[in-house]
Amino acid sequence: MQPHQHTPLTDFIEYPAAQMLTRAQEFLDTAKRRHSIRSFSDRAVDKRIIETCIQAAGTAPSGANHQPWHFVAINSEAVKKQIREQAEQLERSFYEGRAGQQWLDALKPLGTDAQKPYLQHAPWLIAVFSQKKGGLHTDDQQPNYYVHESVGLATGFLIQGLHRAGLATLTHTPKPMSFLSEICGRNKDNERPYMLIVVGYPSDDATVPNHALQKKSLAEIATFL
């Protein structure tokens, strides 16, 4: 490696091999209990839980460690109402033909439609934004690298963190998402809405589509050489 400033790795924990497999299996079992739901309770969620999970998301790897992401956590009833109205307007045109029949057919087993009451009913929405420029410090204006990949990693960390904390989530990607920039007051020139995550407790009548429970086998998703 080229010369660079560095710090000894002192916080890595090595587990006995048998314990490693147990921990891996425990994580898999936990991950299997993560489901995307569309029926949320309006029960309050402590802001500190959201803050901690966003901090965990911020530890994700990123291109040149530029951390090209920004998370807007929304608890305001007025702002959630705005987001729901704008999203449903886009979704109506989507389901009325803009998506195309093939896409609509693929969505049928999930039972989705243009109505998105959870955007207003759930206690929190987290809007994820990607940043074209930035760097290690907020005021930097360097180009960011591998932005899509980096923000995807951070979003995965966030979803798993929220799940491990005991909350349910749903990813929502209305298209186009530019209205989120305006509602959230973000810089349209440098930031692009990446995803909207609905966060809260499941309602008592929450369900999971059978279609969503079908996951590809290890043989289908992995090759070992």
Side-chain angles (χ1 to χ4, degrees), residues 118-129:
Y118 44 76
L119 293 177
Q120 191 172 353
H121 199 65
W124 289 94
L125 303 178
I126 302 176
V128 184
F129 291 85

Side-chain angles (χ1 to χ4, degrees), residues 40-69:
F40 286 83
S41 166
D42 60 359
R43 183 175 159 195
V45 173
D46 191 330
K47 179 183 177 184
R48 292 173 297 178
I49 299 171
I50 305 300
E51 290 174 336
T52 302
C53 290
I54 290 176
Q55 283 184 298
T59 69
S62 61
N65 193 35
H66 280 194
Q67 304 157 57
W69 46 64

Side-chain angles (χ1 to χ4, degrees), residues 70-221:
H70 188 88
F71 304 91
V72 179
I74 302 155
N75 183 240
S76 162
E77 294 299 327
V79 177
K80 288 191 293 180
K81 183 175 184 290
Q82 277 186 281
I83 290 175
R84 178 186 178 181
E85 290 172 350
Q86 293 279 345
E88 286 187 338
Q89 182 178 341
L90 289 171
E91 292 292 289
R92 281 192 291 272
S93 65
F94 176 88
Y95 282 94
E96 288 170 2
R98 181 166 55 86
Q101 194 57 48
Q102 188 174 23
W103 195 347
L104 294 177
D105 288 343
L107 289 172
K108 277 184 180 179
L110 297 174
T112 59
D113 58 26
Q115 302 303 311
K116 311 295 178 186
Y118 44 76
L119 293 177
Q120 191 172 353
H121 199 65
W124 289 94
L125 303 178
I126 302 176
V128 184
F129 291 85
S130 63
Q131 299 175 328
K132 293 185 292 185
K133 292 184 178 180
L136 188 57
H137 305 288
T138 304
D139 296 334
D140 291 347
Q141 289 299 312
Q142 303 175 44
N144 287 329
Y145 306 99
Y146 296 105
V147 173
H148 191 80
E149 295 86 347
S150 300
V151 180
L153 287 165
T155 302
F157 274 41
L158 177 58
I159 291 170
Q160 280 295 338
L162 292 164
H163 171 58
R164 287 179 61 83
L167 296 170
T169 59
L170 173 69
T171 56
H172 182 53
T173 51
K175 188 177 181 180
M177 291 192 285
S178 54
F179 70 92
L180 286 174
S181 298
E182 184 174 346
I183 292 176
C184 296
R186 303 308 302 170
N187 182 348
K188 293 182 180 180
D189 294 331
N190 188 47
E191 293 186 347
R192 180 178 180 181
Y194 183 86
M195 187 173 294
L196 189 63
I197 303 174
V198 187
V199 184
Y201 293 100
S203 65
D204 292 338
D205 60 352
T207 62
V208 181
N210 290 342
H211 181 72
L213 296 175
Q214 300 176 44
K215 303 299 181 184
K216 293 179 180 179
S217 67
L218 178 62
E220 293 175 296
I221 67 171

